[in-house]
């Protein structure tokens, strides 16, 4: 049972470099999310998608771009990495958002360090 | 806007001790409330949830009751184990479906360490 898979799991970048984090889910979920987790800050939503071909900004979208070309994949891009983007990134997906429940399923995280 | 406040950690307990992690929320209407748990090196996973006032969520010996009058959803366990060592996140999901559909609002997390 793969669930939500993130690649890569670890990456070290130099300031100004670019990279893409890939999130893949095999549960046929409509909704997908990218969060970042920083010490003492909890999880903060970067971008999300409510379906194939759609994306929307979350709480902290600056410096990131996303794409959802296929329903099962949600890509998070950093065009010019900055040390402030050093964090652990989590992808999540959910089946429904239009009701009171709607459990999120998380990947294992991607640890990014920007030097 | 909606928000979640949970007690700051870290919390260190001995095995078999009683656990309470406080969580209060601010939201319009009647949100759904959740506790997620993050074990070391893993992503978050749902521990329990409650969707309306006075509901009690329970799982793996953990319980939390949705208290509308005190806007709280405190997590409790009667006897913790070393394997419960993790970070616990309280979260809410509002009933406003415009613009931020499905988005959970998380507390900052409380790290629990249980010693043998």
């Amino acid at each position: 049972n793969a669930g939500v898979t993130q690649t890569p799991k670890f990456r070290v970048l130099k300031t100004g470099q670019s990279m893409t984090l890939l999130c893949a889910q095999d549960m046929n979920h409509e909704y997908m999310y990218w969060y970042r987790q920083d010490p003492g800050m909890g999880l903060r939503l970067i971008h999300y998608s409510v379906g194939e071909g759609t994306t929307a900004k979350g709480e902290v979208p600056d410096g990131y771009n996303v794409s959802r070309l296929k329903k099962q994949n949600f890509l998070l891009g950093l065009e010019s990495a900055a040390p402030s983007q050093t964090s652990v990134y989590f992808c999540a997906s959910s089946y429904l958002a239009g009701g009171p429940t709607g459990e999120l399923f998380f990947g294992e995280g991607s640890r990014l360090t920007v030097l | 806007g909606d928000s979640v406040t949970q007690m700051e950690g870290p919390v260190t307990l001995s095995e078999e001790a009683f656990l309470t992690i406080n969580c209060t929320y601010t939201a319009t209407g009647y949100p759904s409330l959740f506790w997620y748990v993050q074990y070391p090196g893993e992503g978050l996973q749902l521990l329990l949830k409650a969707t309306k006032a006075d509901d009690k969520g329970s799982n793996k010996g953990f319980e939390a009751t949705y208290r509308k009058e005190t806007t709280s959803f405190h997590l409790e366990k009667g006897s913790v184990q070393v394997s419960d060592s993790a970070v616990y996140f309280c979260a809410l999901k509002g009933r406003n479906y415009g613009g931020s559909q499905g988005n959970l609002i998380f507390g900052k997390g409380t790290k629990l360490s249980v010693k043998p």
Side-chain angles (χ1 to χ4, degrees):
Chain A
N1 296 333
V4 178
T5 304
Q6 294 180 226
T7 52
K9 290 189 170 42
F10 302 94
R11 184 75 186 269
V12 178
L13 290 177
K14 294 181 179 179
T15 296
Q17 286 185 318
S18 63
M19 76 157 295
T20 300
L21 296 176
L22 170 64
C23 176
Q25 53 95 3
D26 61 1
M27 296 173 282
N28 201 33
H29 286 169
E30 291 292 334
Y31 297 82
M32 297 187 74
Y33 314 82
W34 276 107
Y35 289 89
R36 59 178 289 173
Q37 183 181 30
D38 302 293
M41 301 292 290
L43 273 77
R44 293 181 292 171
L45 182 65
I46 305 171
H47 285 279
Y48 64 99
S49 168
V50 300
E52 181 178 318
T54 73
T55 63
K57 294 180 180 180
E59 181 185 356
V60 288
D62 293 342
Y64 304 94
N65 56 77
V66 287
S67 64
R68 183 100 180 268
L69 298 180
K70 294 182 179 181
K71 184 178 183 179
Q72 64 267 34
N73 296 336
F74 195 30
L75 278 63
L76 178 70
L78 286 71
E79 291 186 346
S80 180
S84 61
Q85 294 177 304
T86 293
S87 187
V88 180
Y89 293 86
F90 286 98
C91 177
S93 70
S94 65
Y95 177 57
L96 287 175
T101 56
E103 175 184 354
L104 294 188
F105 293 83
F106 283 83
E108 294 183 346
S110 298
R111 182 175 294 275
L112 174 65
T113 301
V114 183
L115 302 176
Chain B
D2 296 352
S3 65
V4 173
T5 302
Q6 61 181 103
M7 63 184 287
E8 294 188 13
V11 174
T12 302
L13 296 173
S14 297
E15 208 165 21
E16 300 184 0
F18 183 84
L19 168 71
T20 299
I21 300 178
N22 291 339
C23 172
T24 57
Y25 68 89
T26 301
T28 55
Y30 304 94
S32 294
L33 301 172
F34 305 81
W35 277 100
Y36 278 79
V37 58
Q38 183 182 28
Y39 297 105
E42 299 183 9
L44 281 72
Q45 55 186 274
L46 180 66
L47 180 60
L48 53 85
K49 65 184 179 186
T51 59
K52 61 183 187 295
D54 299 325
D55 268 2
K56 177 185 285 188
S58 62
N59 186 24
K60 299 181 180 180
F62 291 89
E63 293 184 339
T65 301
Y66 188 161
R67 301 288 188 196
K68 182 175 181 298
E69 63 276 12
T70 55
T71 61
S72 65
F73 193 54
H74 304 322
L75 182 68
E76 297 181 336
K77 187 174 185 181
S79 176
V80 294
Q81 305 300 312
V82 173
S83 57
D84 294 327
S85 297
V87 181
Y88 293 82
F89 291 91
C90 186
L92 74 79
K93 178 174 174 177
R95 299 293 173 113
N96 174 15
Y97 301 124
S100 59
Q101 301 166 8
N103 296 341
L104 291 183
I105 297 171
F106 288 90
K108 294 184 177 181
T110 302
K111 183 176 182 179
L112 170 66
S113 296
V114 180
K115 306 299 184 186

